[in-house]
Structure formats: C-alpha cells, structure tokens
Amino acid sequence: MSAHRFKHALSCLSLLACLTSTAAFAHAHLESQQPAADSEVSAPKELRLTFSEGVEDTFTKVVISLDAPDTPTEIIQTRNVQTDPNDQKVLIVTPAMPMVPGTYKVEWHAVSVDTHKSEGTYRFQVTP
Amino acid sequence: MHEGLILCRFIHFGAVLLLFGVGAFRSLLFARHLLPFEASPAGPRLSRVLGWLAAIALASALASALAWLMLTAAYLSSDWSSAIDASTVRLVLSGTWFGHVWVVHLLLNALVVILNRRVRPRALLTLNALLLLTLAPVGHGAMFDGLKGQLLILNQMLHLLGVGTWLGGLLMLALLMRADHGVDLVAVLRRFSGIGYGLVALIIATGLINVRALSGGFWPEPAFAGFGLVLAVKVSMVGGMLVLAALNRQLAHGADLPLARLRLSVSLECLFGAGALAAVSLLGTLPPMLA
C-alpha cells in the first residue's frame, strides 16, 4: 500500500469516526423486568430491571410515571435506585410512595460498567 | 464527547504502549546489543532524543488520562459542564468501575512522571508495565463478571504487553536506522524478527479470544458495519504490518543490508501500527454485539 493510499485509508477512518459517533450505542440491554413489560400486577413494592451486563447505579436513571389516558402524566418519586448487592446486572428501583392502580411508564437510562449508555421504555399496569 | 473520547484513547494508548515498548527494547530485550551504542559518539544524541520523546509521551499520557476522565464525567451525565464539575468527577472516580481503575492508573501515571530519570531503567520499565496493565480492565473487558471477566482482562493484559513490545520495538528500529552508532543492526534486526514471531502469535491469539468473547462468534455480526467494519480495518492494518515484517526479515537476511528500503519499510510498518491503534480507539466505543 502506498503512502497516498494509506492517507486515504486514514481519512476514511476519521470519517467513520464521525459517522458512527452519532449512532446509538447500545451496550447494556434490558433483558427482563419485574413487573414484566405490559403485564398486569397488584401494586409492587419495588421494580427490578435485569440487564445484559453490569450497570453503574450512580449514573443510571429510571423515571417512573403514571401514564393514565385522561390525566396529565405524573412522575412518581423514587426513593432508591440501586443495583442488587449480589448482582450488578440487577437494578432495584424503590418508589417513594405505594403505587396506586393505573398504567405506569418506566424510562430507563443505563450506564454499563464499561461506561456506555443505553436507554429504553416499557409499561406495565397496576390493578386495584 | 465521543470524538473527544476516541482521541483521548488514541493518544493515551499510543503513549503508554510506546513508553513500555521502548523501555522493554532498551533495558530488557536489546540491552546487550545497545552497549556499543551507549558508548559511541552518536549515543548521547539519540539518548537525548529518546529522553525528549519519553517526556512528551509521559506528559501526553497524563493529559489524555485526565481528559478521558473529564469527558467520561461529561458523557455519563450527558452534560458538558460536568467535565469540570468536581463533584461529578469525584462521583465517577468513587462510584464506577472505570473510576476505581482510573484512580490507580492516574496515580501510577503521576508516579512515572515524577520518577522518570530518577530511578533505574528496569524499575521505570516495571512502572510503565503496570501503567499499561491497568489499561486492561477499562473497556469491553469489564462486560463480564466473575471468572470470565477476569480471564478476559488477563487476556487483554497479554495483548497489550505484546502490542506494546512490538510497537515500541518498531519505533526503536526506525530510530536506530537513522544514525551511525556502531550497533550491529543486522543482529538487532534478526533478533527482533525472531522475537516478532512470538509477539505476533501472542497478539493474534489474544486478539481472537477477545473477538470471540465479545461478539460470541469468530467475527461480529453485522460483518462489515459498525464494530465489524472497524475491526476489519484494524485486522487489515495488522495484516499490512505482518507483510512488511516478513519483508524486513527477508531484507535483514540478505548479503548486505539495504538500509534505505528497510527504513521505508519499518516507517510504513509504524504507520500501519498507528492506523491499527486508531481503529482500536474507535472499537472501544462501539457495541460489539447488537442484541
């Protein structure tokens, strides 16, 4: 490979860097959750999110909101967002108040142990 | 923030790899071969050049390590101002796996800066090796917990040691071929290509294990997009280095040493190495599998 073509290859690389950096970086995927997505359950005390790899609870955010069709969205305060002491892949979210019946939306923004971010949303229903 | 992180990774990995590799070449692998060089008139001059290079590499390593930390704080909190926010930076250092590793890594880096030229070459080499090894746990190696994670980090350590020795050795060869200094170049070249066999085998084997563990296959899916594409670029760079290494070996075993061609070939090999390193810097920020 000549020096010219090498330069060409290098510029392709930097171009690639620009292109890929705008894409979403999915690293920790949500594998399962309790209560499960789209399920109907009686009021849970906590939410457990199980990821494909360990997450850093210091920088992982979970927003739970009561998502009723007619009323304005209400953000549920969380008391605690922490990983399971025995398993860093499991994130335990404890709401500050008991969860009243309704449809809940969970938006998660996870930071994995290899410092990559990922995010997602799911819903579940609390029955009376 | 991603562009900044990629640049930090490139500068930091490059500097730390070369610091270790040049040190290993000078005070471990070729210490005996370099004796006539230390005594020759050209010796002090090249020593000075190497001293300057080491000082620049150390300063860039420390600066890029700090920038890496600040950019990580900004990236994790999705806020540029967090880069200079002491509480967020402290939170990264105290509350994340990356931070815990980085505390040790930054301390080592500072120690090498302070002790550079104040301790014996072998002691400095040990510190530089530790600096290189503490780069292994950050990045994709942290993806797995338990034994698998630890083995993958160990694998990455071997990979880094191999790569550092190869790249640092190439830089030393390029420098040695530029000056007249009484070193038996033929002997050095032959020995380096001999060691090179082992190094390349180590680098390829540990590299394959890495790809297999991260992507769950022999090659990531999709093969030529994202992670797969950058990996392909990296592999072709390393392929180019191998072809040139084989060429160098041929040249070194000829009757007389074609210095001009060797110089060109080794310089090109260094460039390929830089290209491979650029690809690696990008790889660490891409997801290895799309689940």
Side-chain angles (χ1 to χ4, degrees):
Chain A
M1 197 187 269
S2 68
H4 175 74
R5 282 176 68 186
F6 181 73
K7 267 189 207 157
H8 194 75
L10 264 192
S11 47
C12 286
L13 248 180
S14 48
L15 188 69
L16 233 159
C18 303
L19 286 176
T20 46
S21 55
T22 50
F25 294 98
H27 272 258
H29 316 287
L30 185 62
E31 290 195 324
S32 64
Q33 61 291 113
Q34 277 178 311
D38 306 317
S39 65
E40 292 181 17
V41 291
S42 52
K45 283 206 175 56
E46 58 181 30
L47 273 56
R48 295 174 77 91
L49 285 74
T50 305
F51 292 94
S52 58
E53 57 178 295
V55 291
E56 303 283 8
D57 50 16
T58 351
F59 287 96
T60 296
K61 289 188 191 70
V62 176
V63 180
I64 311 170
S65 50
L66 187 55
D67 198 23
D70 302 325
T71 53
T73 315
E74 186 193 340
I75 304 282
I76 307 295
Q77 297 298 315
T78 48
R79 196 177 56 204
N80 222 338
V81 178
Q82 264 183 332
T83 49
D84 187 329
N86 300 318
D87 188 357
Q88 224 190 332
K89 290 182 196 163
V90 179
L91 191 73
I92 303 170
V93 185
T94 321
M97 310 280 263
M99 299 181 92
V100 296
T103 304
Y104 287 85
K105 184 169 81 169
V106 181
E107 293 174 75
W108 55 271
H109 305 264
V111 168
S112 60
V113 283
D114 52 7
T115 62
H116 292 104
K117 291 194 289 194
S118 50
E119 54 186 33
T121 310
Y122 68 93
R123 286 181 171 75
F124 67 92
Q125 227 170 16
V126 173
T127 53
Chain B
M1 291 173 202
H2 258 286
E3 289 81 355
L5 273 171
I6 291 166
L7 188 66
C8 282
R9 291 170 58 87
F10 180 69
I11 295 174
H12 194 73
F13 270 97
V16 173
L17 284 166
L18 287 179
L19 279 168
F20 167 75
V22 168
F25 189 99
R26 288 186 78 185
S27 51
L28 198 68
L29 296 172
F30 291 88
R32 202 163 41 82
H33 296 79
L34 291 179
L35 283 180
F37 153 77
E38 310 284 356
S40 79
R45 208 176 61 235
L46 206 78
S47 271
R48 230 177 7 253
V49 171
L50 281 170
W52 273 107
L53 283 179
I56 292 169
L58 273 173
S60 343
L62 192 58
S64 55
L66 287 171
W68 188 335
L69 171 65
M70 289 160 73
L71 283 172
T72 302
Y75 172 65
L76 292 188
S77 52
S78 308
D79 183 2
W80 272 108
S81 63
S82 295
I84 47 167
D85 176 36
S87 64
T88 316
V89 172
R90 211 177 306 127
L91 201 60
V92 173
L93 286 175
S94 64
T96 67
W97 166 252
F98 165 81
H100 297 161
V101 176
W102 221 236
V103 169
V104 179
H105 187 72
L106 278 174
L107 285 177
L108 273 171
N109 203 330
L111 198 63
V112 180
V113 170
I114 294 165
L115 294 180
N116 185 31
R117 297 198 212 198
R118 290 201 176 84
V119 291
R120 297 206 318 204
R122 291 266 173 110
L124 198 63
L125 177 63
T126 312
L127 283 176
N128 276 326
L130 286 175
L131 189 63
L132 181 61
L133 292 179
T134 45
L135 275 178
V138 297
H140 288 132
M143 243 171 69
F144 305 101
D145 42 23
L147 187 64
K148 189 178 179 190
Q150 285 160 12
L151 284 177
L152 203 60
I153 288 170
L154 180 70
N155 183 66
Q156 181 68 2
M157 286 177 169
L158 292 175
H159 193 70
L160 287 174
L161 288 178
V163 171
T165 312
W166 198 17
L167 292 181
L170 277 177
L171 182 68
M172 277 304 291
L173 280 187
L175 285 173
L176 280 178
M177 279 191 295
R178 301 186 69 86
D180 185 24
H181 38 56
V183 172
D184 185 358
L185 262 185
V186 175
V188 170
L189 279 168
R190 284 186 186 166
R191 183 168 154 81
F192 189 72
S193 28
I195 294 172
Y197 274 129
L199 286 179
V200 166
L202 177 74
I203 292 167
I204 291 179
T206 49
L208 283 177
I209 292 174
N210 251 341
V211 171
R212 180 91 174 86
L214 291 180
S215 67
F218 288 107
W219 196 263
E221 284 287 332
F224 291 104
F227 191 86
L229 179 61
V230 184
L231 188 62
V233 172
K234 180 192 174 185
V235 168
S236 54
M237 292 286 157
V238 177
M241 290 177 79
L242 285 179
V243 171
L244 287 169
L247 180 71
N248 292 348
R249 193 175 169 76
Q250 286 281 312
L251 293 177
H253 279 264
D256 357 78
L257 207 56
L259 257 188
R261 280 163 70 186
L262 264 172
R263 240 180 248 148
L264 179 68
S265 159
V266 169
S267 311
L268 262 182
E269 205 177 331
C270 288
L271 280 179
F272 273 119
L277 199 61
V280 176
S281 307
L282 187 53
L283 271 183
T285 63
L286 297 177
M289 30 183 174
L290 301 162

